Amino acid sequence: AQSVTQLDSQVPVFEEAPVELRCNYSSSVSVYLFWYVQYPNQGLQLLLKYLSGSTLVKGINGFEAEFNKSQTSFHLRKPSVHISDTAEYFCAVSGTSYDKVIFGPGTSLSVIP
Amino acid sequence: DAGVIQSPRHEVTEMGQEVTLRCKPISGHNSLFWYRQTMMRGLELLIYFNNNVPIDDSGMPEDRFSAKMPNASFSTLKIQPSEPRDSAVYFCAGFSGANVLTFGAGSRLTVL
């Protein structure tokens, strides 16, 4: 069975500072990895995904993530955050193509002016 | 493509009443997922369908919950009887291509 851990439940960061949101997963098979963002009172939107190939994945809004198989991690980074990045961020994993997607508990990112 | 459409967006009901949540998935894709989101438990996968067949319902909390997908364009999640602890936001999601899971806007359920 797959599972996802997001160690930081809340991350406050000043505007224009860099941020890293941590994600670790466990799985006995090859995985697909995702980061989703949820703005207040909305559904989840895909930020980026890793299916195969380059371990550095670039997504929307200037976010990127790096897949590290040996550390079973998929941390999300942004070099300079904006107020509009304030949201809940979810890391997710699935085992195969079009398989069920399991989400982590989420990290609340608060950008401070 | 109108995306995943859920109804109702908000539902307030009294304990013991039946609740039915509806979902119209993205056409052309055969997988559909129901998730529940609460502050305490985060985002939980309740059940998912593939080709209208339930593949994994291990996340359904108890017998009060049931889900159906009578055809590729419609699914329901029913709670009977409802309880206050069922209060949550329920999301429906489907694949929109290339392993991208697209979510509906959610149905916020409040059971008094």
Side-chain angles (χ1 to χ4, degrees):
Chain A
Q2 294 125 9
S3 66
V4 179
T5 303
Q6 293 179 250
L7 292 175
D8 306 306
S9 60
Q10 296 183 6
V11 174
V13 61
F14 285 104
E15 191 175 15
E16 298 184 5
V19 70
E20 178 180 82
L21 305 183
R22 296 180 293 169
C23 171
N24 289 88
Y25 68 92
S26 67
S27 176
S28 58
V29 298
S30 297
V31 296
Y32 296 158
L33 294 159
F34 310 85
W35 276 98
Y36 282 79
V37 61
Q38 184 180 33
Y39 299 104
N41 299 313
Q42 294 186 25
L44 280 72
Q45 305 171 32
L46 181 71
L47 267 181
L48 48 79
K49 62 183 179 182
Y50 170 79
L51 303 182
S52 64
S54 173
T55 57
L56 183 62
V57 180
K58 294 188 183 299
I60 62 172
N61 300 338
F63 284 93
E64 64 180 30
E66 186 156 20
F67 170 55
N68 188 319
K69 188 174 182 179
S70 62
Q71 297 186 4
T72 60
S73 67
F74 191 56
H75 301 330
L76 181 71
R77 302 185 184 97
K78 185 170 183 178
S80 176
V81 296
H82 301 286
I83 295 292
S84 59
D85 293 323
T86 295
E88 191 84 12
Y89 292 79
F90 293 91
C91 183
V93 62
S94 71
T96 60
S97 180
Y98 299 105
D99 194 9
K100 65 181 180 181
V101 181
I102 304 300
F103 286 81
T107 296
S108 177
L109 175 64
S110 298
V111 180
I112 305 164
Chain B
D1 188 349
V4 178
I5 300 173
Q6 293 187 244
S7 64
R9 289 295 312 277
H10 302 276
E11 174 92 7
V12 180
T13 190
E14 293 186 347
M15 182 173 63
Q17 296 298 305
E18 178 179 293
V19 173
T20 299
L21 307 179
R22 298 174 177 81
C23 175
K24 183 180 186 308
I26 297 171
S27 62
H29 288 270
N30 301 324
S31 295
L32 182 140
F33 300 76
W34 282 100
Y35 288 89
R36 177 173 69 176
Q37 186 176 35
T38 61
M39 289 292 291
M40 293 297 295
R41 294 185 297 271
L43 199 61
E44 304 171 277
L45 176 63
L46 300 178
I47 185 171
Y48 82 101
F49 295 84
N50 193 27
N51 291 323
N52 311 334
V53 175
I55 302 301
D56 185 348
D57 64 355
S58 59
M60 295 287 263
E62 46 196 276
D63 292 345
R64 298 185 297 106
F65 285 69
S66 63
K68 294 182 179 179
M69 191 168 183
N71 56 63
S73 60
F74 184 67
S75 177
T76 59
L77 178 67
K78 186 175 293 187
I79 309 172
Q80 167 63 19
S82 59
E83 298 182 1
R85 59 187 168 133
D86 301 330
S87 298
V89 181
Y90 291 81
F91 288 103
C92 175
F95 284 112
S96 58
N99 292 287
V100 175
L101 200 59
T102 296
F103 282 77
S107 293
R108 182 176 296 274
L109 173 64
T110 302
V111 183
L112 303 174

